[in-house]
Amino acid sequence: MRSIHRPSEVPPTLRSGGSGHNAAQRHLSKKREVPHTKLSFTPHWRKPDVLGMLLSMQGEICAYCSRELPSVTEAEVEHFRP
């Protein structure tokens, strides 16, 4: 796994009140109520502001598998293997 520089700025989607922040809060509430609940992957990671921030942090190389990303539109945000 590559090391990345995390900027202090937070994309609007992930800020308090943003769709990503709200989804995270709902997931945390569900996990507190039923710890073994399987949660679905939410689409806020594909929002342009979040994807742009991720690309600026890691360049066009995947932080998980170190492969070059094919294109921004084809890049997977969450995976474990190429």
Side-chain angles (χ1 to χ4, degrees):
M1 188 179 280
R2 299 178 68 208
S3 65
I4 60 173
H5 169 71
R6 185 182 299 244
S8 58
E9 184 178 331
V10 176
T13 298
L14 301 180
R15 289 183 193 149
S16 182
S19 63
H21 180 268
N22 294 340
Q25 295 305 311
R26 284 192 303 275
H27 279 185
L28 287 173
S29 293
K30 284 181 186 178
K31 282 298 227 185
R32 280 190 213 109
E33 292 171 18
V34 184
H36 299 292
T37 300
K38 185 173 182 175
L39 302 173
S40 62
F41 184 73
T42 54
H44 61 267
W45 296 107
R46 302 280 308 151
K47 301 272 184 184
D49 61 329
V50 178
L51 190 56
M53 183 67 74
L54 289 171
L55 289 172
S56 72
M57 288 191 304
Q58 66 191 48
E60 295 192 15
I61 303 292
C62 177
Y64 288 121
C65 65
S66 297
R67 290 181 65 188
E68 187 173 332
L69 300 175
S71 74
V72 175
T73 57
E74 296 175 24
E76 291 194 34
V77 176
E78 182 71 35
H79 72 278
F80 295 103
R81 295 185 179 158

Short mmCIF file of all heavy atoms in Angstrom, two decimals, residues 22-69:
data_model
loop_
_atom_site.label_atom_id
_atom_site.label_comp_id
_atom_site.label_asym_id
_atom_site.label_seq_id
_atom_site.Cartn_x
_atom_site.Cartn_y
_atom_site.Cartn_z
N ASN A 22 -23.58 12.37 6.01
CA ASN A 22 -24.85 11.84 6.51
C ASN A 22 -24.92 10.32 6.38
O ASN A 22 -25.39 9.64 7.29
CB ASN A 22 -26.03 12.49 5.77
CG ASN A 22 -26.12 13.98 6.05
OD1 ASN A 22 -25.59 14.47 7.03
ND2 ASN A 22 -26.78 14.70 5.16
N ALA A 23 -24.42 9.79 5.27
CA ALA A 23 -24.41 8.33 5.09
C ALA A 23 -23.51 7.66 6.13
O ALA A 23 -23.87 6.63 6.69
CB ALA A 23 -23.93 7.97 3.69
N ALA A 24 -22.37 8.26 6.42
CA ALA A 24 -21.46 7.71 7.42
C ALA A 24 -22.11 7.69 8.80
O ALA A 24 -21.98 6.73 9.55
CB ALA A 24 -20.16 8.51 7.46
N GLN A 25 -22.84 8.75 9.12
CA GLN A 25 -23.52 8.81 10.41
C GLN A 25 -24.61 7.73 10.52
O GLN A 25 -24.75 7.09 11.56
CB GLN A 25 -24.13 10.20 10.63
CG GLN A 25 -23.11 11.31 10.75
CD GLN A 25 -22.09 11.04 11.84
OE1 GLN A 25 -22.42 10.69 12.97
NE2 GLN A 25 -20.82 11.16 11.49
N ARG A 26 -25.35 7.50 9.42
CA ARG A 26 -26.37 6.44 9.42
C ARG A 26 -25.71 5.07 9.59
O ARG A 26 -26.20 4.23 10.33
CB ARG A 26 -27.17 6.48 8.12
CG ARG A 26 -28.20 7.59 8.06
CD ARG A 26 -29.16 7.42 6.90
NE ARG A 26 -28.50 7.33 5.60
CZ ARG A 26 -28.14 8.38 4.86
NH1 ARG A 26 -28.37 9.60 5.29
NH2 ARG A 26 -27.55 8.20 3.69
N HIS A 27 -24.58 4.85 8.91
CA HIS A 27 -23.87 3.58 9.04
C HIS A 27 -23.38 3.36 10.46
O HIS A 27 -23.50 2.27 11.00
CB HIS A 27 -22.69 3.52 8.07
CG HIS A 27 -23.09 3.16 6.69
ND1 HIS A 27 -22.18 2.95 5.69
CD2 HIS A 27 -24.29 2.96 6.10
CE1 HIS A 27 -22.80 2.63 4.58
NE2 HIS A 27 -24.07 2.63 4.80
N LEU A 28 -22.83 4.40 11.08
CA LEU A 28 -22.36 4.27 12.46
C LEU A 28 -23.50 3.94 13.40
O LEU A 28 -23.36 3.11 14.30
CB LEU A 28 -21.66 5.56 12.90
CG LEU A 28 -20.29 5.81 12.30
CD1 LEU A 28 -19.80 7.21 12.70
CD2 LEU A 28 -19.30 4.76 12.75
N SER A 29 -24.65 4.56 13.19
CA SER A 29 -25.81 4.28 14.04
C SER A 29 -26.25 2.83 13.89
O SER A 29 -26.54 2.15 14.88
CB SER A 29 -26.98 5.20 13.67
OG SER A 29 -26.67 6.53 13.98
N LYS A 30 -26.30 2.35 12.64
CA LYS A 30 -26.69 0.95 12.40
C LYS A 30 -25.71 -0.01 13.05
O LYS A 30 -26.10 -1.01 13.64
CB LYS A 30 -26.76 0.66 10.90
CG LYS A 30 -27.97 1.23 10.23
CD LYS A 30 -27.96 0.87 8.76
CE LYS A 30 -29.09 1.54 8.02
NZ LYS A 30 -29.06 1.24 6.57
N LYS A 31 -24.41 0.29 12.92
CA LYS A 31 -23.38 -0.59 13.50
C LYS A 31 -23.46 -0.61 15.03
O LYS A 31 -23.18 -1.63 15.65
CB LYS A 31 -21.98 -0.14 13.07
CG LYS A 31 -21.65 -0.55 11.66
CD LYS A 31 -21.66 -2.06 11.53
CE LYS A 31 -20.46 -2.57 10.81
NZ LYS A 31 -20.53 -4.01 10.58
N ARG A 32 -23.83 0.52 15.63
CA ARG A 32 -23.97 0.53 17.09
C ARG A 32 -25.16 -0.32 17.53
O ARG A 32 -25.10 -1.00 18.54
CB ARG A 32 -24.15 1.97 17.59
CG ARG A 32 -22.86 2.71 17.68
CD ARG A 32 -23.04 4.04 18.40
NE ARG A 32 -22.11 4.98 17.81
CZ ARG A 32 -22.43 6.00 17.03
NH1 ARG A 32 -23.68 6.27 16.76
NH2 ARG A 32 -21.51 6.78 16.53
N GLU A 33 -26.25 -0.24 16.75
CA GLU A 33 -27.46 -1.00 17.10
C GLU A 33 -27.27 -2.49 16.88
O GLU A 33 -27.63 -3.30 17.72
CB GLU A 33 -28.64 -0.51 16.24
CG GLU A 33 -29.09 0.89 16.56
CD GLU A 33 -30.11 1.41 15.56
OE1 GLU A 33 -30.71 0.59 14.83
OE2 GLU A 33 -30.30 2.63 15.51
N VAL A 34 -26.71 -2.86 15.72
CA VAL A 34 -26.50 -4.27 15.36
C VAL A 34 -25.07 -4.39 14.83
O VAL A 34 -24.82 -4.18 13.65
CB VAL A 34 -27.52 -4.73 14.29
CG1 VAL A 34 -27.35 -6.21 14.01
CG2 VAL A 34 -28.94 -4.40 14.70
N PRO A 35 -24.11 -4.71 15.71
CA PRO A 35 -22.70 -4.69 15.33
C PRO A 35 -22.31 -5.52 14.11
O PRO A 35 -21.39 -5.18 13.41
CB PRO A 35 -22.00 -5.22 16.58
CG PRO A 35 -22.94 -4.94 17.69
CD PRO A 35 -24.31 -5.04 17.11
N HIS A 36 -23.00 -6.60 13.83
CA HIS A 36 -22.61 -7.47 12.72
C HIS A 36 -23.41 -7.20 11.45
O HIS A 36 -23.42 -8.03 10.55
CB HIS A 36 -22.71 -8.94 13.13
CG HIS A 36 -21.82 -9.26 14.28
ND1 HIS A 36 -20.44 -9.25 14.19
CD2 HIS A 36 -22.10 -9.55 15.57
CE1 HIS A 36 -19.92 -9.54 15.36
NE2 HIS A 36 -20.91 -9.72 16.21
N THR A 37 -24.04 -6.05 11.36
CA THR A 37 -24.80 -5.68 10.17
C THR A 37 -23.86 -5.46 9.00
O THR A 37 -22.85 -4.78 9.13
CB THR A 37 -25.59 -4.37 10.42
OG1 THR A 37 -26.47 -4.57 11.51
CG2 THR A 37 -26.37 -3.95 9.20
N LYS A 38 -24.20 -6.05 7.85
CA LYS A 38 -23.41 -5.82 6.64
C LYS A 38 -23.95 -4.56 5.97
O LYS A 38 -25.14 -4.47 5.67
CB LYS A 38 -23.50 -7.01 5.70
CG LYS A 38 -22.61 -6.85 4.49
CD LYS A 38 -22.58 -8.10 3.65
CE LYS A 38 -21.63 -7.86 2.49
NZ LYS A 38 -21.45 -9.04 1.69
N LEU A 39 -23.08 -3.59 5.74
CA LEU A 39 -23.50 -2.33 5.14
C LEU A 39 -23.12 -2.29 3.66
O LEU A 39 -22.11 -2.85 3.25
CB LEU A 39 -22.84 -1.16 5.88
CG LEU A 39 -23.16 -1.10 7.37
CD1 LEU A 39 -22.33 -0.03 8.04
CD2 LEU A 39 -24.63 -0.83 7.59
N SER A 40 -23.94 -1.62 2.89
CA SER A 40 -23.66 -1.51 1.46
C SER A 40 -22.70 -0.36 1.18
O SER A 40 -22.59 0.59 1.96
CB SER A 40 -24.97 -1.29 0.69
OG SER A 40 -25.56 -0.08 1.10
N PHE A 41 -22.00 -0.47 0.06
CA PHE A 41 -21.09 0.59 -0.38
C PHE A 41 -21.93 1.73 -0.92
O PHE A 41 -22.78 1.53 -1.76
CB PHE A 41 -20.15 0.04 -1.45
CG PHE A 41 -19.12 1.02 -1.89
CD1 PHE A 41 -18.05 1.33 -1.06
CD2 PHE A 41 -19.22 1.65 -3.11
CE1 PHE A 41 -17.09 2.25 -1.46
CE2 PHE A 41 -18.27 2.55 -3.52
CZ PHE A 41 -17.21 2.85 -2.69
N THR A 42 -21.69 2.92 -0.42
CA THR A 42 -22.49 4.06 -0.85
C THR A 42 -21.81 4.83 -1.97
O THR A 42 -20.59 4.91 -2.03
CB THR A 42 -22.78 5.00 0.34
OG1 THR A 42 -21.54 5.35 0.93
CG2 THR A 42 -23.66 4.33 1.37
N PRO A 43 -22.59 5.42 -2.87
CA PRO A 43 -22.04 6.06 -4.07
C PRO A 43 -21.38 7.42 -3.85
O PRO A 43 -20.85 7.99 -4.79
CB PRO A 43 -23.27 6.20 -4.98
CG PRO A 43 -24.42 6.29 -4.05
CD PRO A 43 -24.05 5.42 -2.87
N HIS A 44 -21.38 7.94 -2.62
CA HIS A 44 -20.79 9.27 -2.44
C HIS A 44 -19.28 9.29 -2.72
O HIS A 44 -18.73 10.34 -3.00
CB HIS A 44 -21.10 9.85 -1.06
CG HIS A 44 -20.56 9.06 0.08
ND1 HIS A 44 -21.31 8.09 0.72
CD2 HIS A 44 -19.36 9.08 0.70
CE1 HIS A 44 -20.60 7.56 1.68
NE2 HIS A 44 -19.41 8.14 1.69
N TRP A 45 -18.63 8.14 -2.70
CA TRP A 45 -17.20 8.11 -3.01
C TRP A 45 -16.93 8.38 -4.49
O TRP A 45 -15.82 8.69 -4.88
CB TRP A 45 -16.59 6.76 -2.62
CG TRP A 45 -16.66 6.52 -1.16
CD1 TRP A 45 -17.48 5.65 -0.51
CD2 TRP A 45 -15.92 7.21 -0.16
NE1 TRP A 45 -17.29 5.75 0.84
CE2 TRP A 45 -16.33 6.71 1.09
CE3 TRP A 45 -14.95 8.21 -0.18
CZ2 TRP A 45 -15.81 7.16 2.29
CZ3 TRP A 45 -14.42 8.65 1.02
CH2 TRP A 45 -14.86 8.12 2.23
N ARG A 46 -17.94 8.26 -5.34
CA ARG A 46 -17.79 8.51 -6.77
C ARG A 46 -18.16 9.95 -7.15
O ARG A 46 -18.07 10.31 -8.30
CB ARG A 46 -18.68 7.55 -7.58
CG ARG A 46 -18.40 6.10 -7.33
CD ARG A 46 -17.23 5.52 -8.05
NE ARG A 46 -17.25 5.77 -9.46
CZ ARG A 46 -16.15 5.86 -10.20
NH1 ARG A 46 -14.97 5.71 -9.66
NH2 ARG A 46 -16.22 6.10 -11.47
N LYS A 47 -18.58 10.76 -6.19
CA LYS A 47 -18.91 12.16 -6.48
C LYS A 47 -17.66 12.88 -6.97
O LYS A 47 -16.54 12.60 -6.50
CB LYS A 47 -19.46 12.87 -5.24
CG LYS A 47 -20.70 12.23 -4.66
CD LYS A 47 -21.91 12.79 -5.31
CE LYS A 47 -23.13 12.19 -4.63
NZ LYS A 47 -24.34 12.57 -5.20
N PRO A 48 -17.80 13.82 -7.91
CA PRO A 48 -16.63 14.49 -8.49
C PRO A 48 -15.70 15.16 -7.48
O PRO A 48 -14.48 15.07 -7.62
CB PRO A 48 -17.24 15.54 -9.43
CG PRO A 48 -18.59 15.01 -9.76
CD PRO A 48 -19.05 14.25 -8.55
N ASP A 49 -16.26 15.79 -6.43
CA ASP A 49 -15.38 16.46 -5.46
C ASP A 49 -14.57 15.46 -4.65
O ASP A 49 -13.39 15.66 -4.39
CB ASP A 49 -16.18 17.40 -4.55
CG ASP A 49 -17.23 16.71 -3.71
OD1 ASP A 49 -17.79 15.69 -4.17
OD2 ASP A 49 -17.52 17.20 -2.60
N VAL A 50 -15.17 14.33 -4.30
CA VAL A 50 -14.46 13.31 -3.51
C VAL A 50 -13.44 12.59 -4.39
O VAL A 50 -12.29 12.40 -3.99
CB VAL A 50 -15.46 12.31 -2.89
CG1 VAL A 50 -14.73 11.22 -2.13
CG2 VAL A 50 -16.44 13.03 -1.99
N LEU A 51 -13.85 12.20 -5.58
CA LEU A 51 -12.94 11.51 -6.49
C LEU A 51 -11.76 12.40 -6.85
O LEU A 51 -10.61 11.95 -6.89
CB LEU A 51 -13.69 11.07 -7.75
CG LEU A 51 -12.96 10.14 -8.69
CD1 LEU A 51 -12.49 8.89 -7.98
CD2 LEU A 51 -13.84 9.79 -9.87
N GLY A 52 -12.02 13.69 -7.06
CA GLY A 52 -10.94 14.64 -7.36
C GLY A 52 -9.95 14.74 -6.21
O GLY A 52 -8.74 14.78 -6.42
N MET A 53 -10.46 14.76 -4.97
CA MET A 53 -9.59 14.82 -3.80
C MET A 53 -8.76 13.55 -3.69
O MET A 53 -7.56 13.61 -3.42
CB MET A 53 -10.42 15.04 -2.54
CG MET A 53 -9.59 15.18 -1.28
SD MET A 53 -8.60 16.68 -1.22
CE MET A 53 -9.85 17.89 -0.90
N LEU A 54 -9.38 12.40 -3.92
CA LEU A 54 -8.63 11.14 -3.87
C LEU A 54 -7.52 11.11 -4.91
O LEU A 54 -6.38 10.72 -4.62
CB LEU A 54 -9.57 9.95 -4.08
CG LEU A 54 -10.53 9.64 -2.95
CD1 LEU A 54 -11.54 8.59 -3.39
CD2 LEU A 54 -9.79 9.18 -1.71
N LEU A 55 -7.84 11.55 -6.12
CA LEU A 55 -6.83 11.56 -7.17
C LEU A 55 -5.71 12.55 -6.86
O LEU A 55 -4.54 12.28 -7.15
CB LEU A 55 -7.46 11.88 -8.52
CG LEU A 55 -8.34 10.77 -9.11
CD1 LEU A 55 -9.07 11.26 -10.34
CD2 LEU A 55 -7.52 9.54 -9.41
N SER A 56 -6.04 13.68 -6.25
CA SER A 56 -5.00 14.65 -5.90
C SER A 56 -4.09 14.11 -4.79
O SER A 56 -2.92 14.43 -4.74
CB SER A 56 -5.60 16.00 -5.50
OG SER A 56 -6.22 15.92 -4.24
N MET A 57 -4.63 13.26 -3.91
CA MET A 57 -3.83 12.69 -2.83
C MET A 57 -2.89 11.61 -3.33
O MET A 57 -1.77 11.48 -2.85
CB MET A 57 -4.74 12.10 -1.74
CG MET A 57 -5.44 13.12 -0.91
SD MET A 57 -6.26 12.44 0.55
CE MET A 57 -7.32 11.20 -0.10
N GLN A 58 -3.34 10.79 -4.26
CA GLN A 58 -2.55 9.63 -4.66
C GLN A 58 -2.06 9.66 -6.09
O GLN A 58 -1.39 8.74 -6.53
CB GLN A 58 -3.35 8.35 -4.41
CG GLN A 58 -4.58 8.22 -5.30
CD GLN A 58 -5.49 7.11 -4.86
OE1 GLN A 58 -5.82 7.01 -3.69
NE2 GLN A 58 -5.88 6.28 -5.79
N GLY A 59 -2.37 10.72 -6.83
CA GLY A 59 -1.99 10.76 -8.23
C GLY A 59 -2.85 9.78 -9.01
O GLY A 59 -3.93 9.42 -8.57
N GLU A 60 -2.40 9.34 -10.13
CA GLU A 60 -3.20 8.41 -10.92
C GLU A 60 -2.73 6.97 -10.73
O GLU A 60 -2.73 6.16 -11.65
CB GLU A 60 -3.20 8.84 -12.37
CG GLU A 60 -3.90 10.18 -12.52
CD GLU A 60 -4.19 10.54 -13.95
OE1 GLU A 60 -4.13 9.68 -14.84
OE2 GLU A 60 -4.49 11.72 -14.17
N ILE A 61 -2.30 6.68 -9.50
CA ILE A 61 -1.87 5.34 -9.10
C ILE A 61 -2.76 4.90 -7.95
O ILE A 61 -3.00 5.65 -7.02
CB ILE A 61 -0.39 5.34 -8.63
CG1 ILE A 61 0.53 5.90 -9.69
CG2 ILE A 61 0.03 3.96 -8.17
CD1 ILE A 61 0.66 5.05 -10.93
N CYS A 62 -3.25 3.67 -8.01
CA CYS A 62 -4.12 3.15 -6.96
C CYS A 62 -3.34 3.02 -5.65
O CYS A 62 -2.26 2.44 -5.61
CB CYS A 62 -4.67 1.79 -7.38
SG CYS A 62 -5.71 1.05 -6.10
N ALA A 63 -3.91 3.55 -4.57
CA ALA A 63 -3.26 3.48 -3.26
C ALA A 63 -3.28 2.06 -2.70
O ALA A 63 -2.46 1.72 -1.86
CB ALA A 63 -3.94 4.43 -2.28
N TYR A 64 -4.20 1.22 -3.15
CA TYR A 64 -4.27 -0.16 -2.67
C TYR A 64 -3.30 -1.08 -3.40
O TYR A 64 -2.55 -1.81 -2.81
CB TYR A 64 -5.68 -0.73 -2.84
CG TYR A 64 -6.70 -0.17 -1.89
CD1 TYR A 64 -7.82 0.48 -2.37
CD2 TYR A 64 -6.57 -0.31 -0.52
CE1 TYR A 64 -8.77 0.99 -1.51
CE2 TYR A 64 -7.50 0.20 0.36
CZ TYR A 64 -8.61 0.85 -0.15
OH TYR A 64 -9.53 1.35 0.71
N CYS A 65 -3.40 -1.05 -4.74
CA CYS A 65 -2.67 -2.07 -5.51
C CYS A 65 -1.51 -1.50 -6.33
O CYS A 65 -0.81 -2.25 -6.99
CB CYS A 65 -3.63 -2.83 -6.42
SG CYS A 65 -4.37 -1.83 -7.73
N SER A 66 -1.30 -0.21 -6.32
CA SER A 66 -0.20 0.48 -7.01
C SER A 66 -0.25 0.36 -8.53
O SER A 66 0.73 0.59 -9.19
CB SER A 66 1.15 -0.02 -6.50
OG SER A 66 1.29 0.29 -5.15
N ARG A 67 -1.41 0.03 -9.08
CA ARG A 67 -1.56 0.01 -10.53
C ARG A 67 -1.96 1.39 -11.02
O ARG A 67 -2.62 2.15 -10.33
CB ARG A 67 -2.64 -0.98 -10.95
CG ARG A 67 -2.21 -2.41 -10.73
CD ARG A 67 -3.25 -3.39 -11.15
NE ARG A 67 -3.45 -3.30 -12.59
CZ ARG A 67 -4.41 -3.93 -13.23
NH1 ARG A 67 -5.27 -4.68 -12.58
NH2 ARG A 67 -4.54 -3.81 -14.54
N GLU A 68 -1.57 1.71 -12.24
CA GLU A 68 -1.97 2.97 -12.85
C GLU A 68 -3.48 2.91 -13.13
O GLU A 68 -3.99 1.90 -13.60
CB GLU A 68 -1.21 3.19 -14.16
CG GLU A 68 -1.47 4.54 -14.75
CD GLU A 68 -0.58 4.80 -15.97
OE1 GLU A 68 0.52 4.23 -16.04
OE2 GLU A 68 -1.01 5.58 -16.82
N LEU A 69 -4.18 3.99 -12.81
CA LEU A 69 -5.62 4.03 -13.04
C LEU A 69 -5.90 4.20 -14.52
O LEU A 69 -5.28 5.03 -15.19
CB LEU A 69 -6.26 5.17 -12.25
CG LEU A 69 -6.07 5.09 -10.73
CD1 LEU A 69 -6.63 6.34 -10.07
CD2 LEU A 69 -6.74 3.85 -10.19
#
